[in-house]
Amino acid sequence: MTDGEFQEYDDDLVALLEAVWGEGYMSPGGDAEVDRYLEGIDLAGQHVLDIGCGLGGIDLHLLRAHGVAKVTGIDIEDDLITRCDRLAERHGITDRVDFRRVEPGPLPFADGSFDAVTSKDSIIHIADKHALATDIFRVLQPGGWFVASDWLSGYEGEPSPEMAAYLEAEGLDFGLASADTYRAALEAAGFVDIAVVDRNSWYREEARHERDQLTGALYADLESQIGREFLQRQIDVWNTMIVVLDLGQLRPTHLRGRKPPAG
Ligand SMILES: C[S@@+](CC[C@H](N)C(=O)[O-])C[C@H]1O[C@@H](n2cnc3c(N)ncnc32)[C@H](O)[C@@H]1O
């Protein structure tokens, strides 16, 4: 990384997230969770845009398990794009991927550039859901799906003290929105066949297991890799997150909508 470039997900955080969530993933559930949010959608032969590609694990899975023809993955962090390129080389898929660093803001693609758009747990970072939905609609081909998962809020307005404690512990640049806000943004953009599927009850259990891994089986290795202080802070993140998951204020959610077919 050069001076002035943006880095929220640094090497220590990436090491911890991959230890908990698996190679190529900075979000929970791995390939199985991707399969679940894509259930019933056929992406075979399609050119897919992945917004917030992170470490590229999802893109590898889309190409290998869903018959996707090509993935364009975008992210705002240079180091992550470098990691995606390395992953592509390791797995011999460089001819079917195009990983690019972009500036936050409008998607830098012409209208109708993609057959489908996906995103896993990344659009939480983009605060204006209406502008985002309109832009995704614009870059899709008629008939194309937007299919994603994301972290949603279970409330409108100001966060509770528990939620504020979690957001402070995370220290990430979040733009959380509720299911109603996402649905309204997708509808206003013109999407049809919209579905919003709550995953809170699944992740409440999963997050406890992850926290127990961090304090148990993963602890010694991670302590030597990233240091006790950083590891302890991340365990605090999980503990504050479990509180807001239990309160229903943090709600991992699957989202989908289709751009109406032409004619
Ligand atoms: C929690 S990570 C998820 C990464 C990946 N989708 C996964 O599930 O493993 C969120 C990602 O979104 C990226 N991101 C944040 N703001 C973005 C933006 N405006 N456009 C594209 N990516 C963004 C971050 O750099 C990070 O890689």
Side-chain angles (χ1 to χ4, degrees):
M1 190 175 80
T2 54
D3 281 354
E5 278 168 14
F6 185 75
Q7 192 175 29
E8 199 163 26
Y9 291 92
D10 63 19
D11 290 349
D12 286 350
L13 183 53
V14 167
L16 179 133
L17 297 180
E18 273 198 303
V20 179
W21 287 330
E23 190 203 9
Y25 279 98
M26 293 163 67
S27 64
D31 293 347
E33 189 61 5
V34 177
D35 293 343
R36 191 182 274 266
Y37 82 65
L38 286 173
E39 209 172 319
I41 293 182
D42 183 5
L43 296 181
Q46 298 206 349
H47 182 191
V48 178
L49 172 66
D50 179 17
I51 301 174
C53 54
L55 303 171
I58 290 136
D59 309 308
L60 182 62
H61 184 61
L62 290 178
L63 292 169
R64 293 206 297 207
H66 289 270
V68 164
K70 184 176 179 187
V71 176
T72 296
I74 58 169
D75 205 285
I76 58 171
E77 297 204 20
D78 255 338
D79 286 11
L80 297 178
I81 293 299
T82 304
R83 285 172 183 268
C84 284
D85 285 336
R86 276 198 234 122
L87 182 95
E89 270 163 36
R90 273 203 310 282
H91 291 276
I93 52 162
T94 48
D95 53 334
R96 295 167 66 202
V97 292
D98 173 16
F99 292 116
R100 296 189 202 178
R101 192 183 79 81
V102 298
E103 294 298 326
L107 297 167
F109 302 104
D111 297 1
S113 296
F114 301 100
D115 302 308
V117 175
T118 192
S119 180
K120 186 163 189 312
D121 301 339
S122 297
I123 52 177
I124 182 174
H125 291 289
I126 301 173
D128 187 342
K129 309 304 180 197
H130 277 78
L132 176 67
T134 302
D135 211 20
I136 291 171
F137 190 89
R138 179 185 67 75
V139 301
L140 271 173
Q141 281 286 329
W145 281 101
F146 167 58
V147 55
S149 79
D150 199 25
W151 303 96
L152 273 59
S153 62
Y155 57 91
E156 302 289 346
E158 290 305 305
S160 66
E162 293 86 356
M163 194 67 189
Y166 162 63
L167 292 174
E168 193 185 329
E170 272 281 14
L172 292 172
D173 173 24
F174 281 162
L176 279 162
S178 68
D180 285 351
T181 299
Y182 270 98
R183 188 179 278 282
L186 291 169
E187 277 171 8
F191 284 99
V192 296
D193 301 331
I194 294 167
V196 177
V197 177
D198 192 278
R199 297 285 287 147
N200 174 277
S201 62
W202 161 71
Y203 193 55
R204 278 162 72 165
E205 297 309 314
E206 196 67 12
R208 283 178 164 76
H209 172 68
E210 293 166 358
R211 190 266 320 276
D212 294 347
Q213 291 280 106
L214 282 173
T215 55
L218 294 173
Y219 193 91
D221 270 2
L222 279 173
E223 186 187 21
S224 63
Q225 217 180 328
I226 62 178
R228 178 176 297 185
E229 197 188 322
F230 184 74
L231 176 55
Q232 213 44 65
R233 279 213 308 275
Q234 293 304 316
I235 292 168
D236 288 347
V237 169
W238 253 265
N239 283 326
T240 56
M241 178 172 70
I242 288 167
V243 172
V244 291
L245 285 164
D246 285 350
L247 289 169
Q249 294 173 1
L250 182 65
R251 310 197 75 91
T253 298
H254 296 173
L255 305 158
R256 62 171 65 174
R258 190 178 174 88
K259 182 167 178 167

PDB file of all heavy atoms in Angstrom, residues 228-252:
ATOM      1  N   ARG A 228      -1.493 -10.718  20.954  1.00  0.00           N
ATOM      2  CA  ARG A 228      -2.588 -10.936  21.913  1.00  0.00           C
ATOM      3  C   ARG A 228      -3.561  -9.764  21.970  1.00  0.00           C
ATOM      4  O   ARG A 228      -4.768  -9.949  22.034  1.00  0.00           O
ATOM      5  CB  ARG A 228      -2.002 -11.185  23.311  1.00  0.00           C
ATOM      6  CG  ARG A 228      -3.076 -11.378  24.360  1.00  0.00           C
ATOM      7  CD  ARG A 228      -2.512 -11.717  25.703  1.00  0.00           C
ATOM      8  NE  ARG A 228      -1.802 -12.988  25.658  1.00  0.00           N
ATOM      9  CZ  ARG A 228      -1.283 -13.581  26.731  1.00  0.00           C
ATOM     10  NH1 ARG A 228      -1.382 -13.020  27.894  1.00  0.00           N
ATOM     11  NH2 ARG A 228      -0.658 -14.726  26.629  1.00  0.00           N
ATOM     12  N   GLU A 229      -3.023  -8.528  21.918  1.00  0.00           N
ATOM     13  CA  GLU A 229      -3.886  -7.356  22.099  1.00  0.00           C
ATOM     14  C   GLU A 229      -4.921  -7.250  20.966  1.00  0.00           C
ATOM     15  O   GLU A 229      -6.119  -7.053  21.222  1.00  0.00           O
ATOM     16  CB  GLU A 229      -3.014  -6.106  22.130  1.00  0.00           C
ATOM     17  CG  GLU A 229      -3.726  -4.916  22.708  1.00  0.00           C
ATOM     18  CD  GLU A 229      -2.900  -3.648  22.545  1.00  0.00           C
ATOM     19  OE1 GLU A 229      -1.660  -3.722  22.681  1.00  0.00           O
ATOM     20  OE2 GLU A 229      -3.518  -2.609  22.259  1.00  0.00           O
ATOM     21  N   PHE A 230      -4.433  -7.404  19.744  1.00  0.00           N
ATOM     22  CA  PHE A 230      -5.351  -7.308  18.604  1.00  0.00           C
ATOM     23  C   PHE A 230      -6.374  -8.448  18.637  1.00  0.00           C
ATOM     24  O   PHE A 230      -7.572  -8.245  18.405  1.00  0.00           O
ATOM     25  CB  PHE A 230      -4.556  -7.331  17.288  1.00  0.00           C
ATOM     26  CG  PHE A 230      -5.427  -7.142  16.071  1.00  0.00           C
ATOM     27  CD1 PHE A 230      -5.941  -5.893  15.764  1.00  0.00           C
ATOM     28  CD2 PHE A 230      -5.746  -8.208  15.251  1.00  0.00           C
ATOM     29  CE1 PHE A 230      -6.772  -5.725  14.649  1.00  0.00           C
ATOM     30  CE2 PHE A 230      -6.564  -8.043  14.142  1.00  0.00           C
ATOM     31  CZ  PHE A 230      -7.076  -6.796  13.842  1.00  0.00           C
ATOM     32  N   LEU A 231      -5.873  -9.651  18.984  1.00  0.00           N
ATOM     33  CA  LEU A 231      -6.778 -10.807  19.042  1.00  0.00           C
ATOM     34  C   LEU A 231      -7.856 -10.580  20.106  1.00  0.00           C
ATOM     35  O   LEU A 231      -9.043 -10.833  19.869  1.00  0.00           O
ATOM     36  CB  LEU A 231      -5.961 -12.073  19.346  1.00  0.00           C
ATOM     37  CG  LEU A 231      -6.748 -13.366  19.541  1.00  0.00           C
ATOM     38  CD1 LEU A 231      -7.661 -13.659  18.356  1.00  0.00           C
ATOM     39  CD2 LEU A 231      -5.782 -14.535  19.763  1.00  0.00           C
ATOM     40  N   GLN A 232      -7.441 -10.072  21.255  1.00  0.00           N
ATOM     41  CA  GLN A 232      -8.395  -9.826  22.346  1.00  0.00           C
ATOM     42  C   GLN A 232      -9.456  -8.802  21.923  1.00  0.00           C
ATOM     43  O   GLN A 232     -10.635  -8.952  22.220  1.00  0.00           O
ATOM     44  CB  GLN A 232      -7.605  -9.331  23.571  1.00  0.00           C
ATOM     45  CG  GLN A 232      -8.147  -9.744  24.900  1.00  0.00           C
ATOM     46  CD  GLN A 232      -8.581 -11.201  25.006  1.00  0.00           C
ATOM     47  OE1 GLN A 232      -7.773 -12.107  24.919  1.00  0.00           O
ATOM     48  NE2 GLN A 232      -9.883 -11.423  25.189  1.00  0.00           N
ATOM     49  N   ARG A 233      -9.005  -7.758  21.178  1.00  0.00           N
ATOM     50  CA  ARG A 233      -9.958  -6.742  20.703  1.00  0.00           C
ATOM     51  C   ARG A 233     -10.978  -7.365  19.752  1.00  0.00           C
ATOM     52  O   ARG A 233     -12.156  -7.031  19.770  1.00  0.00           O
ATOM     53  CB  ARG A 233      -9.216  -5.609  19.979  1.00  0.00           C
ATOM     54  CG  ARG A 233      -8.610  -4.574  20.906  1.00  0.00           C
ATOM     55  CD  ARG A 233      -8.613  -3.171  20.285  1.00  0.00           C
ATOM     56  NE  ARG A 233      -8.020  -3.096  18.958  1.00  0.00           N
ATOM     57  CZ  ARG A 233      -6.720  -2.959  18.707  1.00  0.00           C
ATOM     58  NH1 ARG A 233      -5.858  -2.894  19.703  1.00  0.00           N
ATOM     59  NH2 ARG A 233      -6.283  -2.879  17.464  1.00  0.00           N
ATOM     60  N   GLN A 234     -10.508  -8.297  18.932  1.00  0.00           N
ATOM     61  CA  GLN A 234     -11.440  -8.937  17.990  1.00  0.00           C
ATOM     62  C   GLN A 234     -12.412  -9.874  18.716  1.00  0.00           C
ATOM     63  O   GLN A 234     -13.575  -9.988  18.328  1.00  0.00           O
ATOM     64  CB  GLN A 234     -10.665  -9.691  16.891  1.00  0.00           C
ATOM     65  CG  GLN A 234      -9.885  -8.782  15.963  1.00  0.00           C
ATOM     66  CD  GLN A 234     -10.773  -7.733  15.295  1.00  0.00           C
ATOM     67  OE1 GLN A 234     -11.864  -8.025  14.830  1.00  0.00           O
ATOM     68  NE2 GLN A 234     -10.297  -6.486  15.261  1.00  0.00           N
ATOM     69  N   ILE A 235     -11.931 -10.522  19.763  1.00  0.00           N
ATOM     70  CA  ILE A 235     -12.845 -11.359  20.563  1.00  0.00           C
ATOM     71  C   ILE A 235     -13.921 -10.464  21.188  1.00  0.00           C
ATOM     72  O   ILE A 235     -15.103 -10.828  21.238  1.00  0.00           O
ATOM     73  CB  ILE A 235     -12.056 -12.169  21.623  1.00  0.00           C
ATOM     74  CG1 ILE A 235     -11.192 -13.224  20.912  1.00  0.00           C
ATOM     75  CG2 ILE A 235     -12.994 -12.813  22.635  1.00  0.00           C
ATOM     76  CD1 ILE A 235     -10.160 -13.906  21.789  1.00  0.00           C
ATOM     77  N   ASP A 236     -13.531  -9.259  21.591  1.00  0.00           N
ATOM     78  CA  ASP A 236     -14.518  -8.284  22.104  1.00  0.00           C
ATOM     79  C   ASP A 236     -15.537  -7.924  21.025  1.00  0.00           C
ATOM     80  O   ASP A 236     -16.724  -7.747  21.323  1.00  0.00           O
ATOM     81  CB  ASP A 236     -13.833  -6.994  22.577  1.00  0.00           C
ATOM     82  CG  ASP A 236     -13.061  -7.209  23.868  1.00  0.00           C
ATOM     83  OD1 ASP A 236     -13.270  -8.263  24.507  1.00  0.00           O
ATOM     84  OD2 ASP A 236     -12.230  -6.337  24.203  1.00  0.00           O
ATOM     85  N   VAL A 237     -15.072  -7.795  19.777  1.00  0.00           N
ATOM     86  CA  VAL A 237     -16.003  -7.504  18.679  1.00  0.00           C
ATOM     87  C   VAL A 237     -17.051  -8.615  18.615  1.00  0.00           C
ATOM     88  O   VAL A 237     -18.253  -8.353  18.528  1.00  0.00           O
ATOM     89  CB  VAL A 237     -15.261  -7.395  17.323  1.00  0.00           C
ATOM     90  CG1 VAL A 237     -16.258  -7.352  16.164  1.00  0.00           C
ATOM     91  CG2 VAL A 237     -14.367  -6.160  17.292  1.00  0.00           C
ATOM     92  N   TRP A 238     -16.580  -9.855  18.662  1.00  0.00           N
ATOM     93  CA  TRP A 238     -17.542 -10.970  18.580  1.00  0.00           C
ATOM     94  C   TRP A 238     -18.510 -10.934  19.762  1.00  0.00           C
ATOM     95  O   TRP A 238     -19.701 -11.154  19.595  1.00  0.00           O
ATOM     96  CB  TRP A 238     -16.799 -12.310  18.510  1.00  0.00           C
ATOM     97  CG  TRP A 238     -16.881 -12.908  17.136  1.00  0.00           C
ATOM     98  CD1 TRP A 238     -17.776 -13.829  16.693  1.00  0.00           C
ATOM     99  CD2 TRP A 238     -16.043 -12.605  16.003  1.00  0.00           C
ATOM    100  NE1 TRP A 238     -17.562 -14.125  15.370  1.00  0.00           N
ATOM    101  CE2 TRP A 238     -16.512 -13.394  14.912  1.00  0.00           C
ATOM    102  CE3 TRP A 238     -14.969 -11.750  15.792  1.00  0.00           C
ATOM    103  CZ2 TRP A 238     -15.920 -13.347  13.645  1.00  0.00           C
ATOM    104  CZ3 TRP A 238     -14.381 -11.715  14.530  1.00  0.00           C
ATOM    105  CH2 TRP A 238     -14.858 -12.498  13.484  1.00  0.00           C
ATOM    106  N   ASN A 239     -17.982 -10.653  20.953  1.00  0.00           N
ATOM    107  CA  ASN A 239     -18.867 -10.636  22.127  1.00  0.00           C
ATOM    108  C   ASN A 239     -19.919  -9.529  22.031  1.00  0.00           C
ATOM    109  O   ASN A 239     -21.096  -9.757  22.337  1.00  0.00           O
ATOM    110  CB  ASN A 239     -18.037 -10.492  23.408  1.00  0.00           C
ATOM    111  CG  ASN A 239     -17.377 -11.816  23.779  1.00  0.00           C
ATOM    112  OD1 ASN A 239     -17.946 -12.890  23.553  1.00  0.00           O
ATOM    113  ND2 ASN A 239     -16.183 -11.746  24.344  1.00  0.00           N
ATOM    114  N   THR A 240     -19.517  -8.345  21.567  1.00  0.00           N
ATOM    115  CA  THR A 240     -20.505  -7.256  21.430  1.00  0.00           C
ATOM    116  C   THR A 240     -21.462  -7.561  20.279  1.00  0.00           C
ATOM    117  O   THR A 240     -22.642  -7.202  20.327  1.00  0.00           O
ATOM    118  CB  THR A 240     -19.835  -5.879  21.200  1.00  0.00           C
ATOM    119  OG1 THR A 240     -18.981  -5.957  20.068  1.00  0.00           O
ATOM    120  CG2 THR A 240     -19.043  -5.409  22.395  1.00  0.00           C
ATOM    121  N   MET A 241     -20.958  -8.261  19.261  1.00  0.00           N
ATOM    122  CA  MET A 241     -21.824  -8.614  18.122  1.00  0.00           C
ATOM    123  C   MET A 241     -22.886  -9.626  18.540  1.00  0.00           C
ATOM    124  O   MET A 241     -24.055  -9.523  18.126  1.00  0.00           O
ATOM    125  CB  MET A 241     -20.966  -9.178  16.986  1.00  0.00           C
ATOM    126  CG  MET A 241     -21.767  -9.617  15.775  1.00  0.00           C
ATOM    127  SD  MET A 241     -20.713 -10.042  14.381  1.00  0.00           S
ATOM    128  CE  MET A 241     -19.961 -11.554  14.956  1.00  0.00           C
ATOM    129  N   ILE A 242     -22.504 -10.598  19.376  1.00  0.00           N
ATOM    130  CA  ILE A 242     -23.477 -11.611  19.816  1.00  0.00           C
ATOM    131  C   ILE A 242     -24.630 -10.934  20.571  1.00  0.00           C
ATOM    132  O   ILE A 242     -25.796 -11.311  20.404  1.00  0.00           O
ATOM    133  CB  ILE A 242     -22.764 -12.698  20.657  1.00  0.00           C
ATOM    134  CG1 ILE A 242     -21.901 -13.576  19.719  1.00  0.00           C
ATOM    135  CG2 ILE A 242     -23.765 -13.547  21.436  1.00  0.00           C
ATOM    136  CD1 ILE A 242     -20.911 -14.473  20.427  1.00  0.00           C
ATOM    137  N   VAL A 243     -24.322  -9.900  21.339  1.00  0.00           N
ATOM    138  CA  VAL A 243     -25.374  -9.162  22.068  1.00  0.00           C
ATOM    139  C   VAL A 243     -26.388  -8.563  21.090  1.00  0.00           C
ATOM    140  O   VAL A 243     -27.604  -8.730  21.253  1.00  0.00           O
ATOM    141  CB  VAL A 243     -24.751  -8.040  22.947  1.00  0.00           C
ATOM    142  CG1 VAL A 243     -25.830  -7.154  23.539  1.00  0.00           C
ATOM    143  CG2 VAL A 243     -23.876  -8.637  24.048  1.00  0.00           C
ATOM    144  N   VAL A 244     -25.895  -7.886  20.037  1.00  0.00           N
ATOM    145  CA  VAL A 244     -26.840  -7.217  19.119  1.00  0.00           C
ATOM    146  C   VAL A 244     -27.522  -8.207  18.175  1.00  0.00           C
ATOM    147  O   VAL A 244     -28.641  -7.953  17.702  1.00  0.00           O
ATOM    148  CB  VAL A 244     -26.195  -6.039  18.352  1.00  0.00           C
ATOM    149  CG1 VAL A 244     -25.891  -4.901  19.295  1.00  0.00           C
ATOM    150  CG2 VAL A 244     -24.952  -6.446  17.584  1.00  0.00           C
ATOM    151  N   LEU A 245     -26.877  -9.344  17.938  1.00  0.00           N
ATOM    152  CA  LEU A 245     -27.570 -10.418  17.183  1.00  0.00           C
ATOM    153  C   LEU A 245     -28.730 -10.935  18.027  1.00  0.00           C
ATOM    154  O   LEU A 245     -29.852 -11.106  17.532  1.00  0.00           O
ATOM    155  CB  LEU A 245     -26.604 -11.556  16.864  1.00  0.00           C
ATOM    156  CG  LEU A 245     -25.586 -11.289  15.735  1.00  0.00           C
ATOM    157  CD1 LEU A 245     -24.458 -12.318  15.782  1.00  0.00           C
ATOM    158  CD2 LEU A 245     -26.264 -11.310  14.362  1.00  0.00           C
ATOM    159  N   ASP A 246     -28.471 -11.175  19.306  1.00  0.00           N
ATOM    160  CA  ASP A 246     -29.531 -11.681  20.195  1.00  0.00           C
ATOM    161  C   ASP A 246     -30.679 -10.673  20.333  1.00  0.00           C
ATOM    162  O   ASP A 246     -31.846 -11.067  20.454  1.00  0.00           O
ATOM    163  CB  ASP A 246     -28.966 -11.997  21.585  1.00  0.00           C
ATOM    164  CG  ASP A 246     -28.146 -13.281  21.587  1.00  0.00           C
ATOM    165  OD1 ASP A 246     -28.178 -14.010  20.570  1.00  0.00           O
ATOM    166  OD2 ASP A 246     -27.470 -13.549  22.598  1.00  0.00           O
ATOM    167  N   LEU A 247     -30.346  -9.388  20.323  1.00  0.00           N
ATOM    168  CA  LEU A 247     -31.383  -8.345  20.430  1.00  0.00           C
ATOM    169  C   LEU A 247     -32.117  -8.135  19.099  1.00  0.00           C
ATOM    170  O   LEU A 247     -33.096  -7.387  19.038  1.00  0.00           O
ATOM    171  CB  LEU A 247     -30.755  -7.010  20.859  1.00  0.00           C
ATOM    172  CG  LEU A 247     -30.253  -6.928  22.300  1.00  0.00           C
ATOM    173  CD1 LEU A 247     -29.423  -5.654  22.501  1.00  0.00           C
ATOM    174  CD2 LEU A 247     -31.429  -6.970  23.279  1.00  0.00           C
ATOM    175  N   GLY A 248     -31.629  -8.764  18.042  1.00  0.00           N
ATOM    176  CA  GLY A 248     -32.262  -8.618  16.723  1.00  0.00           C
ATOM    177  C   GLY A 248     -31.934  -7.293  16.055  1.00  0.00           C
ATOM    178  O   GLY A 248     -32.612  -6.888  15.104  1.00  0.00           O
ATOM    179  N   GLN A 249     -30.891  -6.622  16.533  1.00  0.00           N
ATOM    180  CA  GLN A 249     -30.555  -5.313  15.964  1.00  0.00           C
ATOM    181  C   GLN A 249     -29.556  -5.418  14.814  1.00  0.00           C
ATOM    182  O   GLN A 249     -29.435  -4.500  14.010  1.00  0.00           O
ATOM    183  CB  GLN A 249     -30.037  -4.394  17.069  1.00  0.00           C
ATOM    184  CG  GLN A 249     -31.133  -4.095  18.078  1.00  0.00           C
ATOM    185  CD  GLN A 249     -30.660  -3.328  19.286  1.00  0.00           C
ATOM    186  OE1 GLN A 249     -29.484  -2.974  19.402  1.00  0.00           O
ATOM    187  NE2 GLN A 249     -31.570  -3.075  20.203  1.00  0.00           N
ATOM    188  N   LEU A 250     -28.846  -6.547  14.754  1.00  0.00           N
ATOM    189  CA  LEU A 250     -27.955  -6.830  13.626  1.00  0.00           C
ATOM    190  C   LEU A 250     -28.515  -8.066  12.927  1.00  0.00           C
ATOM    191  O   LEU A 250     -28.706  -9.106  13.568  1.00  0.00           O
ATOM    192  CB  LEU A 250     -26.527  -7.099  14.120  1.00  0.00           C
ATOM    193  CG  LEU A 250     -25.489  -7.362  13.024  1.00  0.00           C
ATOM    194  CD1 LEU A 250     -25.280  -6.125  12.146  1.00  0.00           C
ATOM    195  CD2 LEU A 250     -24.161  -7.804  13.624  1.00  0.00           C
ATOM    196  N   ARG A 251     -28.793  -7.941  11.627  1.00  0.00           N
ATOM    197  CA  ARG A 251     -29.516  -9.005  10.934  1.00  0.00           C
ATOM    198  C   ARG A 251     -28.871  -9.325   9.592  1.00  0.00           C
ATOM    199  O   ARG A 251     -29.171  -8.657   8.583  1.00  0.00           O
ATOM    200  CB  ARG A 251     -30.987  -8.589  10.713  1.00  0.00           C
ATOM    201  CG  ARG A 251     -31.688  -8.057  11.970  1.00  0.00           C
ATOM    202  CD  ARG A 251     -33.193  -8.050  11.806  1.00  0.00           C
ATOM    203  NE  ARG A 251     -33.721  -9.376  11.903  1.00  0.00           N
ATOM    204  CZ  ARG A 251     -34.136  -9.951  13.046  1.00  0.00           C
ATOM    205  NH1 ARG A 251     -34.086  -9.284  14.183  1.00  0.00           N
ATOM    206  NH2 ARG A 251     -34.594 -11.176  13.047  1.00  0.00           N
ATOM    207  N   PRO A 252     -27.980 -10.326   9.559  1.00  0.00           N
ATOM    208  CA  PRO A 252     -27.487 -10.782   8.254  1.00  0.00           C
ATOM    209  C   PRO A 252     -28.683 -11.188   7.397  1.00  0.00           C
ATOM    210  O   PRO A 252     -29.606 -11.847   7.894  1.00  0.00           O
ATOM    211  CB  PRO A 252     -26.629 -12.000   8.595  1.00  0.00           C
ATOM    212  CG  PRO A 252     -26.333 -11.876  10.054  1.00  0.00           C
ATOM    213  CD  PRO A 252     -27.467 -11.134  10.664  1.00  0.00           C
TER     214      PRO A 252
END
